[in-house]
Amino acid sequence: MSDRGKRILITGGAGFLGSHLCERLLREGHEVLCVDNFYTSTRRNITHLLEHPCFELMRHDVTLPLHVEVDQIYNMACPASPIHYQRDPVQTTKTSVHGAINMLGLAKRTGARILQASTSEVYGDPQVHPQSENYWGNVSPIGVRSCYDEGKRCAETLFFDYWRQHNLPIKVARIFNTYGPKMLPDDGRVVSNFIVQALAGSDITIYGDGSQSRSFCYVDDLVEGLIRLMESEEALTGPINLGNPSEYSISELATKVVNMTNSRSKIVYAPLPQDDPTRRQPDITRAKAELGWEPGIELDEGLKPTIDYFQAQV
Ligand code: NAD
Ligand code: UDP
C-alpha cells in the first residue's frame, strides 16, 4: 500500500472531530468516505467537501452492517456531549457496541486498519490523577453517563478481542476534552456553551461550584495525534491517551471566555449533573514516547479561532 491515496472510512465524519479529520485526510491526498446518520450533526460541516473528487458522503447508521472496500477506518460515530448521549441512552450504547462490532467486522473482511475514538470517560470519576492508560477507572455501570462510558469501555473490549482472536490491526485512542470550530452551537459541551452564552450576552451557566476541572485540547492537535496513531507501527495498538495536560477549573474557563469576548454576561450557578467527574487530566507520557506527539496549542490560543468561528455564525 502506498503512503498516499488510501481509501479511508470515517464514521461520524460529519461531526465535530470527524469533519476536521475529513478535511485533513483529503488535503493529504486520500479518498475519504464519510458515513454519518446526522444524529448530532448536519451536512453543514462537510458541505464544502461535497464537490471534492475524492470525497463521498453516505447517510448510514453504524448500528447496521456496512459493506464497502476501504484500507483504513476511523470509528468516530457516537454522540459525545452528555446532553445528547443521554437523550436516547439505549441508542448510545447500541452505537458504541453494535457500531464497533459492525466496523470490526468490516475491518476483518477488508483487512483494513481500524482506529477507535475512545474517551477519557473510560476512567469515570478518576481516583488516580493524572490518568495514565494503565488505570482501570472508576465508572458507575448504572448511572446516567453509563450508556456512554460503559458503551465505550465495551467497544475497547471488542477491539482488543478482535485483535487477540483475529489478529486485526487495531488502534485505540482515549480522547480527552477537545474543542474548536465546527462544534454545533447547541452541542451542549462546556466550551461551546460558554462561548455561545458570552457572545449572546446571556448568563454563563456553571454547573456545580465550578471547582471541577477538565484539560482542554485544541482540535488540530488532536487530529494530528489520531493520524500519527493510525500511521504508527502495527504493534502499537494503544490504548493511548490523546489530550492536552493543561488543567483548568470550569470557573477559570468561564472567566477566560468572558474576558476574551469582552462579554457583559454574568456567571450563574446551576446544579451539578449526576456523576459529573471531579477532575480530569491526561498523562501523555505514552503518546510522547510512542508517537512523538504532544499538543502545541494552549487554551488561550485555541479559544481565539473558536470564538471567531461562533461569532461568524451569529
Ligand atoms: P459529535 O457529536 O460532533 O460527532 C459524532 C458524529 O457521529 C455525529 O456526526 C453524529 O451524527 C454521528 N453519529 C452518532 N451516532 C451515529 C450512528 N449510530 N451512526 C452513524 N453516525 C452516528 O462528537 P465529536 O466530538 O466529534 O466526537 C467524535 C468521536 O470522538 C465520538 O466517538 C466521541 O465519543 C469521541 N470523543 C470526543 C471527545 C471530544 O472532546 N470531542 C472526547 C472523547 C471522545
Ligand atoms: N459544564 C458547565 N456548564 C455548561 C456545560 C458544562 O459547567 O454549560 C461543566 C460540566 O458539568 C462538566 C464540565 O463543564 O463538569 C465539562 O462538561 P462537558 O459536557 O463539556 O464534558 P464532560 O463532562 O463530558 O467532560
Side-chain angles (χ1 to χ4, degrees):
M1 202 190 301
S2 79
D3 270 354
R4 293 181 64 81
K6 294 189 191 99
R7 296 163 302 175
I8 304 181
L9 165 62
I10 305 177
T11 74
F16 161 52
L17 294 181
S19 58
H20 283 273
L21 199 52
C22 287
E23 278 180 2
R24 169 80 191 263
L25 291 170
L26 283 171
R27 271 205 307 276
E28 289 182 3
H30 300 293
E31 285 180 38
V32 171
L33 172 59
C34 168
V35 163
D36 208 298
N37 70 350
F38 302 113
Y39 185 69
T40 49
S41 59
T42 67
R43 288 159 66 97
R44 207 168 313 146
N45 276 351
I46 38 107
T47 312
H48 62 295
L49 303 176
L50 292 174
E51 297 304 315
H52 195 294
C54 294
F55 182 77
E56 198 180 340
L57 172 64
M58 185 190 289
R59 180 188 279 267
H60 176 82
D61 187 323
V62 294
T63 62
L64 302 168
L66 179 66
H67 295 278
V68 291
E69 303 306 317
V70 287
D71 304 309
Q72 290 185 347
I73 303 168
Y74 286 86
N75 189 35
M76 312 295 292
C78 189
S81 166
I83 56 163
H84 293 299
Y85 69 62
Q86 289 170 24
R87 183 154 40 106
D88 184 349
V90 173
Q91 176 66 14
T92 298
T93 302
K94 281 186 184 168
T95 293
S96 276
V97 177
H98 293 197
I101 291 170
N102 287 326
M103 291 312 114
L104 286 161
L106 175 62
K108 186 171 165 228
R109 185 180 64 75
T110 55
R113 241 178 208 212
I114 181 165
L115 180 147
Q116 168 67 356
S118 191
T119 168
S120 52
E121 288 288 319
V122 301
Y123 302 122
D125 191 5
Q127 290 165 327
V128 167
H129 195 80
Q131 294 78 54
S132 61
E133 292 86 348
N134 55 15
Y135 176 50
W136 287 357
N138 175 36
V139 178
S140 163
I142 57 168
V144 293
R145 295 174 82 102
S146 310
C147 59
Y148 183 74
D149 301 7
E150 296 288 29
K152 289 283 188 180
R153 285 170 69 96
C154 184
E156 286 201 10
T157 306
L158 284 160
F159 267 68
F160 277 87
D161 283 333
Y162 267 78
W163 172 65
R164 278 186 288 262
Q165 202 174 327
H166 300 297
N167 222 2
L168 227 65
I170 64 151
K171 307 276 173 188
V172 174
R174 289 187 179 153
I175 303 169
F176 284 64
N177 298 64
T178 302
Y179 69 97
K182 295 191 182 202
M183 297 181 90
L184 290 181
D186 64 353
D187 177 277
R189 282 175 279 185
V190 69
V191 174
S192 48
N193 264 14
F194 285 180
I195 294 175
V196 169
Q197 290 164 340
L199 292 176
S202 43
D203 292 347
I204 309 261
T205 53
I206 289 185
Y207 303 156
D209 64 6
S211 62
Q212 73 271 34
S213 74
R214 295 292 187 273
S215 306
F216 298 102
C217 185
Y218 188 65
V219 60
D220 290 357
D221 280 334
L222 197 275
V223 165
E224 175 66 28
L226 289 177
I227 292 173
R228 284 199 193 193
L229 177 57
M230 179 62 104
E231 298 299 332
S232 62
E233 58 168 299
E234 185 152 328
L236 185 63
T237 57
I240 197 150
N241 288 340
L242 294 178
N244 190 322
S246 304
E247 185 184 2
Y248 295 87
S249 72
I250 296 306
S251 292
E252 285 174 318
L253 175 70
T255 307
K256 225 179 237 304
V257 170
V258 170
N259 291 340
M260 289 178 75
T261 52
N262 294 317
S263 175
R264 277 181 291 177
S265 293
K266 47 175 214 309
I267 291 177
V268 299
Y269 294 86
L272 190 67
Q274 193 189 323
D275 293 341
D276 200 282
T278 317
R279 302 185 74 181
R280 199 182 280 149
Q281 184 188 34
D283 177 338
I284 58 164
T285 310
R286 196 180 279 182
K288 280 186 190 163
E290 306 284 351
L291 304 176
W293 176 87
E294 65 182 309
I297 302 166
E298 285 311 321
L299 188 55
D300 289 275
E301 202 185 332
L303 282 176
K304 281 197 200 100
T306 313
I307 292 168
D308 290 348
Y309 172 79
F310 283 107
Q311 202 134 35
Q313 308 294 302
V314 182

